[in-house]
Amino acid sequence: MTNNNIINLTNQVFEESFEIEPDRLKPEMNIFEDLGLDSLDIVDLVVALQQKFGVNIRDDERVRQIRTLGDIYQFIDSLKTD
Amino acid sequence: MINRVVISGLGAVSPLGHDVPSFIKGIRAGKSAVRQMAGWDKYIGLRSRVGAASVLTGEKKIPRKSRRSMSRMSIFAVQAAQEALADAGLDTVICSTGRVACIIGSTMGGAESLNETFEIMLPDKDLSRLTAMKFFQCVSHTAAMNVAQYLGVTGCVMATSAACASSLQAIGTGYDLIRLGRQDMALCGGAEELHPTVTGSFDILFATSISYNDAPQSTPRPFDEKRDGLVCGDGSGIVILEEYEHAEKRGAKIYGEIIGYHTCGNGSHVSQSDRISMQACLTEALADAGISPGDIDYINAHATATLHGDKEEAAAIREIFGRSVPVSSLKGYIGHTLGASGALELIASISMMEEGVIYPTLNLETVSPECQGICHVMEPFKKDIRILAKNCFAFGGINAVLVLRNGKYSNDQ
């Protein structure tokens, strides 16, 4: 999967699950402060990413380090090499 | 000290429209909201294919963070509560004084979300696709908790769950809290969500209408000789209850005063209500109001069009009132909205009080021999209604009756 695919599919999750307008979806955006997600949303973010990418990340400690949208792109990309 | 309790605001999302005026307009026009339900034919064993669904609309006006925990019925309840507050001339701020309660009942909780949960979980026994919000959308107190959270209610929050008596029990409980001085106001009512599993629950008990799938607007037929069961509907009805002096002081419109209420069990059968316990419930509600049967001007019946329930309710009314009091059921217009039915039908009854016109039982063409001996309203009927009784008789053997005096006569204690 190319990076563009990861970006597009991740952005789809933010549009579909969290109703965030596409023009706000930039890599540097902090998912809590800029995009307004909270701890309950993170549970649903994990579920939606698992669905979208067919991965299992619920117990992956690296999820806790995610702060920005770019962090998610990189995290999903890193799963390819795990 | 026992306080007087009045109704000062009304809100409704019904199969006939998204607010009280459209609901009343539909009834006044004799419209049926019953339709064939698309896609229900795929359910094996579901014989009843008709329903009366409310339309989900305007939900995006509720911010996502509030909406994410709401089921379809919670959204209906929030919208009905907002209409009721606005109708009462109240700002949402009042909800956070600790003196306002929120009591909203339901039969099933969020039926769609519950089914989605099982569809996700059961095939592979895998919970990994369940979202954080499913619990809040499913639970039986989803409407009460979501309305309370959305409006910032810090008083008593409660969800009555007594099937078709849920919303009348909610109103009765609010009445008790205010008359005992524990709260000044209460948002009370019920909400329900139409789903094949809900209709199916009644269908497997042989309680649903199955003969009119191709003529949906001819069913349900309360008290009629050709009645064959109930038709499920959904929506929400919310009323604002208020302590009388509190309402008077702020110049609120008083629709009516609750003067009596009773709820009781039949203690004998889970699904077949009996005339004796219905009669006891009516008698106790009249006693609570300190009035005699002759003081009642209108009875809004529960009458869902089941063979047994209608017969028993007619017998209970006949025993106490004979032919002296006009009786009608509203199930023919909006189906049986279950946990919402008591509140929605009370709202329509209040409208009848205001207009001085009783709406007839839709689809009642020939009164069944076993339902005779009471005064059935079969055409719109002009009458000054000073006091009415609203019946709800639920599966589980739970009865509830509320007695309401016309707001025009609130000074005639």
Side-chain angles (χ1 to χ4, degrees):
Chain A
M1 187 175 286
T2 66
N3 269 336
N4 267 348
N5 266 342
I6 290 175
I7 291 168
N8 289 339
L9 291 174
T10 303
N11 288 359
Q12 271 177 28
V13 165
F14 277 80
E15 288 175 53
E16 291 161 2
S17 300
F18 306 110
E19 300 175 12
I20 296 170
E21 304 81 7
D23 58 0
R24 293 176 62 207
L25 296 173
K26 300 191 174 85
E28 65 275 19
M29 293 299 247
N30 184 297
I31 60 172
F32 301 102
E33 288 153 23
D34 299 322
L35 301 180
L37 271 61
D38 64 12
S39 59
L40 284 169
D41 286 329
I42 298 305
V43 177
D44 290 356
L45 174 65
V46 167
V47 171
L49 290 172
Q50 290 188 153
Q51 282 287 103
K52 207 60 133 178
F53 293 100
V55 293
N56 187 356
I57 56 173
R58 191 180 169 91
D59 298 322
D60 195 319
E61 282 298 314
R62 290 174 294 179
V63 172
R64 294 175 188 277
Q65 311 306 317
I66 288 171
R67 291 290 176 273
T68 66
L69 201 52
D71 291 345
I72 299 178
Y73 303 149
Q74 279 182 17
F75 170 59
I76 298 291
D77 192 50
S78 74
L79 295 173
K80 288 193 296 193
T81 54
D82 283 356
Chain B
M1 189 180 78
I2 298 294
N3 294 317
R4 295 171 65 187
V5 182
V6 300
I7 294 178
S8 58
L10 309 175
V13 172
S14 84
L16 285 169
H18 223 261
D19 51 22
V20 173
S22 55
F23 173 40
I24 302 305
K25 191 178 165 197
I27 292 179
R28 203 178 286 154
K31 274 175 70 176
S32 162
V34 179
R35 301 280 183 272
Q36 280 181 339
M37 298 302 294
W40 280 24
D41 50 354
K42 70 178 178 224
Y43 290 89
I44 300 159
L46 180 63
R47 300 166 306 154
S48 183
R49 307 273 171 76
V50 289
S54 292
V55 176
L56 189 66
T57 180
E59 70 272 22
K60 288 281 173 79
K61 288 179 189 159
I62 303 169
R64 182 190 69 83
K65 277 212 177 144
S66 297
R67 188 174 9 104
R68 65 184 174 174
S69 58
M70 295 180 189
S71 55
R72 176 180 150 86
M73 60 177 270
S74 309
I75 292 170
F76 290 155
V78 163
Q79 291 170 331
Q82 286 178 311
E83 186 190 8
L85 278 173
D87 184 50
L90 292 165
D91 191 283
T92 310
V93 173
I94 200 162
C95 296
S96 54
T97 58
R99 298 295 300 167
V100 179
C102 174
I103 309 169
I104 302 174
S106 158
T107 305
M108 301 284 283
E112 280 180 10
S113 300
L114 199 57
N115 278 275
E116 282 163 17
T117 300
F118 289 132
E119 278 171 12
I120 289 168
M121 200 176 87
L122 289 182
D124 306 310
K125 308 279 190 293
D126 178 4
L127 277 67
S128 65
R129 284 164 52 221
L130 281 181
T131 64
M133 288 301 143
K134 275 285 175 266
F135 170 82
F136 304 102
Q137 295 165 0
C138 290
V139 287
S140 55
H141 67 312
T142 183
M145 63 159 241
N146 273 299
V147 170
Q149 290 291 336
Y150 188 61
L151 298 175
V153 173
T154 52
C156 170
V157 179
M158 194 185 292
T160 48
S161 185
C164 320
S166 298
S167 57
L168 214 57
Q169 278 198 338
I171 296 168
T173 303
Y175 169 54
D176 285 341
L177 286 173
I178 296 171
R179 69 171 156 169
L180 292 173
R182 293 183 187 277
Q183 303 275 267
D184 297 328
M185 301 178 60
L187 293 106
C188 295
E192 204 71 57
E193 204 169 278
L194 183 61
H195 191 275
T197 56
V198 177
T199 296
S201 306
F202 293 97
D203 201 6
I204 56 176
L205 295 169
F206 299 99
T208 54
S209 176
I210 59 169
S211 305
Y212 298 90
N213 287 336
D214 295 323
Q217 308 223 325
S218 301
T219 191
R221 308 176 64 82
F223 299 124
D224 190 82
E225 65 173 3
K226 290 181 180 163
R227 72 188 186 281
D228 74 331
L230 61 82
V231 173
C232 292
D234 69 6
S236 176
I238 304 286
V239 297
I240 305 289
L241 304 192
E242 191 166 355
E243 191 272 319
Y244 174 71
E245 302 287 342
H246 192 277
E248 277 282 288
K249 206 176 290 178
R250 67 182 190 88
K253 174 175 180 175
I254 293 175
Y255 285 100
E257 178 178 357
I258 301 175
I259 57 172
Y261 168 69
H262 192 69
T263 183
C264 64
N266 67 19
S268 58
H269 198 286
V270 288
S271 67
Q272 307 227 316
S273 283
D274 66 278
R275 61 188 73 188
I276 302 297
S277 72
M278 291 175 179
Q279 207 177 308
C281 197
L282 275 159
T283 303
E284 289 298 323
L286 294 178
D288 187 42
I291 60 172
S292 60
D295 294 320
I296 296 287
D297 297 306
Y298 169 61
I299 297 169
N300 187 266
H302 182 62
T304 64
T306 61
L307 297 179
H308 182 82
D310 286 15
K311 172 178 66 120
E312 293 299 301
E313 184 171 7
I317 293 170
R318 187 165 58 231
E319 185 64 32
I320 300 174
F321 301 95
R323 292 180 190 275
S324 65
V325 182
V327 178
S328 69
S329 160
L330 301 176
K331 302 290 194 292
Y333 302 87
I334 56 168
H336 189 359
T337 55
L338 307 172
S341 67
L344 279 173
E345 292 163 14
L346 183 68
I347 288 167
S349 301
I350 288 169
S351 176
M352 295 188 219
M353 267 187 161
E354 286 212 294
E355 262 186 86
V357 175
I358 297 173
Y359 310 129
T361 302
L362 194 65
N363 292 328
L364 174 55
E365 291 170 356
T366 306
V367 178
S368 160
E370 55 202 354
C371 299
Q372 287 177 0
I374 64 175
C375 178
H376 288 288
V377 179
M378 297 168 78
E379 297 290 336
F381 178 68
K382 279 191 179 178
K383 182 170 183 184
D384 184 29
I385 306 170
R386 295 170 70 92
I387 301 177
L388 65 79
K390 170 75 198 109
N391 293 345
C392 282
F393 302 127
F395 268 8
I398 301 175
N399 306 315
V401 175
L402 193 87
V403 182
L404 188 80
R405 178 164 52 205
N406 194 327
K408 279 192 291 193
Y409 303 112
S410 58
N411 292 322
D412 303 355
Q413 273 196 83

